[in-house]
Amino acid sequence: MMNFKIVHIEETDSTNRWMKEHGEGEMVVVADFQTAGKGCGQNSWESERGQNLLFSVLIHPTNVSARTQFIITQVVSVALCNTLEKFIIQPVEIKWPNDIYVGDKKICGVLIENKLEGQRIKDCVIGIGLDVNQTVFKSDAPNPVSIKLLTGHDTDREQLLNTFLTELQQAFVNKTIQRDYHNRLYRRQGRHPYMAGDKRFEASIVGVNDDGRLMLENEQGIAHLFAFKEVSFIIDNG
Ligand code: BTN
């Protein structure tokens, strides 16, 4: 079992970057504010000072290889859903590969950065940005929501973090993680609009491969596999 040392800092550029520079053993770093929070790809991650949960967890999984690293995404996503469902009543889902959604809105983003040594994962930095008590979002993020917007009250960020760390440890030994991940998928039922390149199409989710690719079946009944960034969900935020 992991016994995390937790370091709190007031401000840093990015907790993921901080962890890559200062992390040792298995630990957690939490910041009240990031001056250069990183989102997926080129995106940034904005968060009002002191309102949300911005943290990174450093682990060294011994039974996960480069080839099976998508397991970590599944474990983290399922642990986040299980955590959030203890604080809000609405169902929590995973928008492939690892955005955490409530309805059509994003409540949490995950940025996992693995340092490989051959086939082995030497260091795994799990960065999480969870919207907790912020109620006004100024950034260009299209569809944000927070726990406070859903419940109407403030949530203790430390309690939330501790709950997540417990759920994370449980998810790592969960024998049905793949099934849990699949059952949690946003839009796992029905046909919905997607975009690949400049093509818009309607499709239904067949599943997610072990390597993390999303399988969509189009209106002609033909299935296609998409790697991350090869397809985007069209979400009506009306
Ligand atoms: C996404 O784009 O959805 C991923 C966002 C991940 C943001 C978190 S906040 C804590 C950690 N440090 C970072 O710089 N990014 C992650």
Side-chain angles (χ1 to χ4, degrees):
M1 272 284 142
M2 301 169 251
N3 201 357
F4 295 111
K5 172 179 147 197
I6 303 180
V7 174
H8 286 263
I9 47 182
E10 234 169 70
E11 179 176 316
T12 183
D13 48 359
S14 146
T15 57
N16 268 33
R17 204 217 41 80
W18 186 98
M19 191 61 97
K20 285 188 262 179
E21 191 178 321
H22 306 286
E24 270 175 17
E26 308 216 296
M27 64 177 287
V28 178
V29 63
V30 200
D32 272 335
F33 187 68
Q34 295 182 134
T35 54
K38 286 197 289 178
C40 294
Q42 299 303 308
N43 298 345
S44 62
W45 185 261
E46 285 183 43
S47 172
E48 200 179 315
R49 187 182 295 268
Q51 297 302 313
N52 302 316
L53 207 43
L54 306 167
F55 66 103
S56 299
V57 183
L58 175 64
I59 56 168
H60 311 278
T62 47
N63 43 11
V64 183
S65 67
R67 205 172 41 81
T68 58
Q69 58 186 295
F70 187 67
I71 300 255
I72 302 171
T73 298
Q74 294 179 315
V75 163
V76 171
S77 308
V78 169
L80 281 166
C81 291
N82 291 341
T83 302
L84 281 166
E85 282 193 345
K86 295 203 155 98
F87 292 84
I88 62 178
I89 57 170
Q90 294 87 343
V92 185
E93 296 182 317
I94 302 160
K95 175 174 158 279
W96 174 84
N98 58 10
D99 282 347
I100 308 302
Y101 266 54
V102 177
D104 288 321
K105 293 186 187 294
K106 178 166 170 173
I107 193 162
C108 179
V110 179
L111 178 64
I112 299 175
E113 298 183 274
N114 287 327
K115 183 171 177 187
L116 304 177
E117 203 176 63
Q119 269 301 298
R120 202 175 73 93
I121 297 176
K122 193 165 173 283
D123 305 307
C124 170
V125 175
I126 302 163
I128 294 172
L130 177 50
D131 290 330
V132 186
N133 296 324
Q134 183 168 346
T135 52
V136 179
F137 292 88
K138 300 183 192 85
S139 73
D140 47 9
N143 51 350
V145 73
S146 65
I147 298 181
K148 184 161 186 179
L149 285 173
L150 295 167
T151 62
H153 58 75
D154 279 325
T155 294
D156 185 285
R157 291 179 294 151
E158 194 164 322
Q159 193 192 342
L160 192 59
L161 176 62
N162 287 331
T163 306
F164 171 72
L165 294 176
T166 304
E167 289 293 338
L168 182 65
Q169 309 200 23
Q170 278 170 15
F172 264 111
V173 294
N174 178 344
K175 297 273 184 291
T176 61
I177 197 73
Q178 258 121 349
R179 200 198 313 154
D180 291 3
Y181 176 85
H182 186 265
N183 288 339
R184 288 272 190 192
L185 282 178
Y186 170 75
R187 291 189 173 173
R188 72 195 163 285
Q189 268 153 11
R191 214 191 276 280
H192 300 274
Y194 294 88
M195 189 85 138
D198 54 9
K199 271 208 188 64
R200 185 196 153 108
F201 59 98
E202 304 259 317
S204 53
I205 293 181
V206 179
V208 178
N209 268 19
D210 286 350
D211 65 8
R213 284 182 298 168
L214 178 69
M215 192 184 281
L216 293 177
E217 187 181 291
N218 66 15
E219 281 150 300
Q220 289 75 44
I222 299 165
H224 278 282
L225 277 172
F226 295 93
F228 184 47
K229 295 282 175 197
E230 287 178 355
V231 67
S232 57
F233 290 59
I234 298 178
I235 298 170
D236 179 12
N237 290 305

